[in-house]
């Protein structure tokens, strides 16, 4: 085989490999959408090939051999593609955050918020006892006050205060404010604890570090008896005043003038992403130019990557004259990205502003392989020749001279009726007098 033939064969093999990968990834997306999590041996017995493929991707990621565009594609589905070292680091940071919230590292083995995290903490003690925990990891754990005894002692007063603060943070995440009524029964003692913080603060004996930690989550030092709706309306009016002063609604999460107000603005974004914000409130916020992605959120960074890849698509269009990026096109992950935009459009999940930006540049929502494009051009040229010979385009559906050509002509009518024929092809057929009815 010649060198050019070998190159063509390798290119075809690479394209087939990309197609198989895309097929498996689409199967994984469909499975997660249906079941809420990837297939595991404990939950699934009928998707062995998909499970093996997923394990292979995880091994490639751990070895640093997984392509960047594929890594982003899989992590966007919520998959953790981490090495053992990276997983340990993530749990360690989670322990640091736990200590910040509660003032100690004594995580219950079956912690209700995250049982797997509690198990990890317990395992570190077991590993040390067996002598398989490295000296470097032991030193890092001890620096943050980790206790090697696995007994659960009642927390100190400082630990109790930190624990209640953690409960208050979760209350704010759920309700959008920190004004816990005394009658609240969801977390025993939380309503009274909130009242105690205000009373101690009024005496002037409140510890500065505790005041800072409460203010960081938008704690309201003066309680009100307003309903949730009244509070929302008051904050919305405050947002209108802010917009009038500064010309926008981008309130900092920790705004010095009113930390609680900055937290409220942040909470509206969180509530919308969780589906907890009513359509009426969403509409009112959007009417005053409210932006749903803050400057430091993961969603904002995701939008920034979308904009960067969109710019690469514009450059591709400038060089090639179309937006038919093949799936095997690897630079910037553009081939895979284009496929995801079409899929989101078909499912109706593509944001309106993104759809508009793509349509403005003439984006083709239906992908066309170059080989298909060439075949269509050949048939169209054959139709032009038929018209010159016979004076019309009414090729019989079953044409004796070439049945495949007659079938192609008939298929154009069916494709147009089903909405599968592009506007460009309809225009060209109209120009030569094509008749859409048999």
């Amino acid at each position: 085989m010649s060198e050019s033939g070998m190159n063509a064969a390798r290119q075809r093999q690479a394209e087939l490999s990309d197609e198989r990968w895309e097929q498996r990834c689409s199967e994984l997306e469909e499975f997660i959408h249906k079941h809420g999590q990837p297939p595991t041996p404990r939950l699934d017995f009928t998707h062995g090939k998909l499970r093996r493929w997923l394990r292979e991707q995880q091994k490639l990621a751990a070895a640093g051999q997984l392509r960047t565009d594929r890594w982003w594609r899989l992590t966007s589905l919520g998959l953790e593609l981490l090495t053992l070292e990276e997983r340990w680091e993530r749990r360690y940071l989670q322990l640091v955050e736990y200590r910040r919230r509660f003032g100690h590292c004594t995580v219950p083995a079956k912690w209700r918020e995250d049982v797997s995290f509690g198990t990890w903490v317990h395992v570190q003690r077991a590993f040390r006892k067996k002598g398989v925990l490295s000296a470097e990891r032991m030193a890092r754990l001890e620096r943050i006050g980790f206790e090697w005894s696995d007994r659960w002692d009642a927390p100190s007063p400082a630990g109790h205060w930190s624990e209640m603060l953690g409960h208050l943070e979760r209350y704010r995440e759920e309700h959008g404010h920190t004004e816990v009524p005394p009658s609240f029964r969801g977390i025993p003692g939380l309503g009274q604890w909130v009242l105690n913080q205000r009373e101690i603060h009024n005496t002037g004996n409140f510890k500065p570090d505790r005041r800072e930690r409460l203010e960081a989550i938008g704690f309201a030092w003066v309680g009100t008896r307003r309903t949730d709706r009244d509070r929302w309306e008051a904050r919305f009016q405050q947002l209108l005043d802010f917009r009038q002063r500064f010309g926008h609604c981008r309130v900092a999460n920790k705004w010095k003038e009113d930390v609680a107000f900055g937290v409220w603005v942040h909470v509206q974004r969180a509530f919308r992403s969780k589906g907890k914000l009513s359509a009426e409130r969403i509409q009112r916020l959007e009417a005053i130019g409210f932006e749903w992605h803050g400057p430091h959120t993961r969603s904002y960074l995701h939008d920034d990557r979308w904009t960067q890849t969109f710019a690469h698509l514009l450059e591709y269009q400038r060089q090639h004259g179309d937006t038919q990026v093949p799936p095997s096109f690897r630079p910037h992950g553009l081939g895979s990205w284009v496929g995801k935009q079409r899929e989101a459009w078909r499912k109706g999940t593509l944001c309106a502003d993104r759809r508009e930006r793509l349509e403005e540049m003439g984006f083709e929502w239906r992908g066309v392989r170059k080989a298909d494009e060439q075949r269509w051009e050949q048939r169209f040229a054959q139709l032009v020749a038929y018209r010159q010979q016979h004076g019309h385009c009414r090729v019989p559906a079953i044409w004796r001279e070439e049945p495949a050509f007659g079938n192609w002509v008939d298929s154009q009518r069916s494709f147009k009726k089903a909405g599968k024929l592009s506007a460009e092809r309809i225009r060209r057929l109209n120009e030569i007098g094509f008749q859409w009815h048999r």
Side-chain angles (χ1 to χ4, degrees):
M1 182 182 293
S2 65
E3 183 176 354
S4 61
M6 292 176 64
N7 290 335
R10 282 195 292 267
Q11 182 179 358
R12 178 56 183 163
Q13 186 176 5
E15 291 178 356
L16 289 173
S17 177
D18 287 337
E19 289 176 4
R20 284 194 294 270
W21 197 95
E22 288 293 333
Q23 181 181 354
R24 290 295 183 210
C25 192
S26 297
E27 291 176 10
L28 180 62
E29 289 177 343
E30 183 178 351
F31 188 96
I32 293 176
H33 178 72
K34 183 177 180 180
H35 299 280
Q37 58 184 339
T40 60
R42 183 172 62 85
L43 298 175
D44 176 73
F45 301 91
T46 60
H47 296 79
K49 291 183 179 179
L50 184 58
R51 289 201 309 274
R52 289 192 292 273
W53 176 83
L54 181 56
R55 284 199 298 270
E56 182 183 356
Q57 307 310 304
Q58 291 169 331
K59 290 179 181 178
L60 290 172
Q65 298 174 351
L66 189 65
R67 280 171 26 191
T68 303
D69 60 317
R70 293 181 176 180
W71 189 92
W72 278 112
R73 180 86 175 272
L74 292 173
T75 53
S76 69
L77 299 176
L79 298 176
E80 285 193 358
L81 301 175
L82 304 175
T83 64
L84 292 174
E85 183 68 26
E86 289 171 331
R87 283 197 288 270
W88 195 93
E89 288 294 334
R90 176 169 289 191
R91 288 301 190 188
Y92 178 77
L93 293 176
Q94 191 174 356
L95 182 60
V96 171
E97 176 62 20
Y98 181 94
R99 183 180 183 278
R100 185 194 69 78
R101 285 177 58 189
F102 300 109
H104 59 82
C105 299
T106 315
V107 185
K110 296 182 180 180
W111 193 38
R112 285 183 296 179
E113 287 191 23
D114 189 341
V115 175
S116 62
F117 171 54
T119 301
W120 178 87
V121 172
H122 178 74
V123 166
Q124 304 313 299
R125 297 188 179 101
F127 279 2
R128 177 179 179 270
K129 188 175 181 179
K130 294 178 181 179
V132 295
L133 190 65
S134 69
E136 186 263 343
R137 288 184 176 179
M138 283 193 289
R140 292 180 64 188
L141 289 168
E142 289 171 354
R143 277 199 295 270
I144 63 172
F146 189 82
E147 298 179 11
W148 295 109
S149 173
D150 61 357
R151 68 180 181 276
W152 172 254
D153 298 323
S156 63
H160 174 72
W161 192 93
S162 296
E163 184 176 357
M164 296 305 289
L165 177 65
H167 291 316
L168 182 61
E169 285 184 281
R170 290 191 294 279
Y171 180 93
R172 188 209 70 189
E173 290 173 0
E174 183 175 351
H175 299 275
H177 59 81
T178 60
E179 298 186 41
V180 186
S183 59
F184 181 67
R185 296 287 182 268
I187 302 173
L190 184 60
Q192 184 60 48
W193 183 84
V194 167
L195 290 177
N196 292 343
Q197 306 315 301
R198 294 190 180 115
E199 290 178 3
I200 298 172
H201 183 266
N202 292 336
T203 65
N205 297 323
F206 209 79
K207 294 181 179 181
D209 62 319
R210 292 187 175 182
R211 183 176 63 249
E212 290 174 2
R213 291 175 70 183
L214 282 168
E215 289 179 346
I217 67 170
F219 187 74
W221 292 110
V222 179
T224 68
R225 294 187 178 274
R226 292 176 174 174
T227 64
D228 286 342
R229 182 169 185 82
D230 291 339
R231 288 193 198 94
W232 197 90
E233 291 296 338
R235 289 301 190 190
F236 182 75
Q237 183 58 50
Q238 193 173 356
L239 183 60
L240 288 174
D241 296 338
F242 181 94
R243 181 177 181 275
Q244 187 173 3
R245 283 177 60 189
F246 300 102
H248 58 79
C249 299
R250 297 187 297 276
V251 186
N253 289 356
K254 298 180 180 179
W255 194 37
K256 294 180 180 179
E257 291 188 24
D258 189 340
V259 175
F261 172 54
V263 171
W264 178 86
V265 172
H266 173 73
V267 165
Q268 304 313 299
R269 297 186 177 105
F271 276 10
R272 178 179 180 268
S273 66
K274 295 176 182 178
K276 293 183 178 181
L277 197 63
S278 68
E280 184 256 345
R281 289 183 175 178
I282 292 173
Q283 183 179 4
R284 291 179 64 187
L285 287 167
E286 290 179 343
I288 64 172
F290 190 80
E291 299 176 19
W292 293 110
H293 303 311
H296 302 293
T297 62
R298 188 175 179 181
S299 297
Y300 179 88
L301 296 175
H302 181 71
D303 282 351
D304 187 47
R305 286 194 296 272
W306 192 94
T307 301
Q308 291 176 8
T309 313
F310 178 76
H312 293 311
L313 179 61
L314 288 171
E315 178 61 22
Y316 181 95
Q317 185 188 43
R318 186 185 68 79
Q319 293 181 9
H320 298 84
D322 59 51
T323 59
Q324 298 289 353
V325 186
S328 58
F329 189 81
R330 295 184 179 181
H332 314 295
L334 190 59
S336 174
W337 183 87
V338 166
K340 285 189 284 188
Q341 307 313 302
R342 292 189 175 118
E343 184 177 1
W345 173 75
R346 287 194 299 271
K347 293 181 178 179
T349 59
L350 188 65
C351 298
D353 60 325
R354 293 182 178 180
R355 185 179 66 248
E356 290 173 2
R357 292 179 68 181
L358 287 166
E359 288 178 346
E360 285 176 0
M361 67 170 293
F363 186 76
E364 296 155 295
W365 293 112
R366 301 188 184 280
V368 178
R369 295 184 181 275
K370 294 298 182 182
D372 292 339
E373 183 72 23
Q374 292 171 359
R375 283 195 293 271
W376 195 91
E377 291 294 338
Q378 291 172 358
R379 289 302 188 189
F380 180 77
Q382 190 174 358
L383 181 61
V384 171
Y386 181 95
R387 180 179 181 275
Q388 291 175 347
Q389 180 179 356
H390 299 278
H392 59 79
C393 298
R394 295 188 301 276
V395 184
I398 303 177
W399 195 36
R400 294 180 181 178
E401 291 189 23
E402 190 176 346
F405 174 50
N407 184 61
W408 177 87
V409 172
D410 191 55
S411 295
Q412 306 312 298
R413 299 185 178 99
S414 301
F415 285 169
K416 179 177 182 289
K417 186 176 181 180
K420 296 181 179 180
L421 196 63
S422 68
E424 170 64 16
R425 290 184 175 178
I426 293 173
R427 181 188 63 79
R428 292 177 65 185
L429 288 167
N430 285 333
E431 286 179 350
I432 63 171
F434 189 79
Q435 294 177 313
W436 296 104
H437 299 292
R438 297 184 181 89

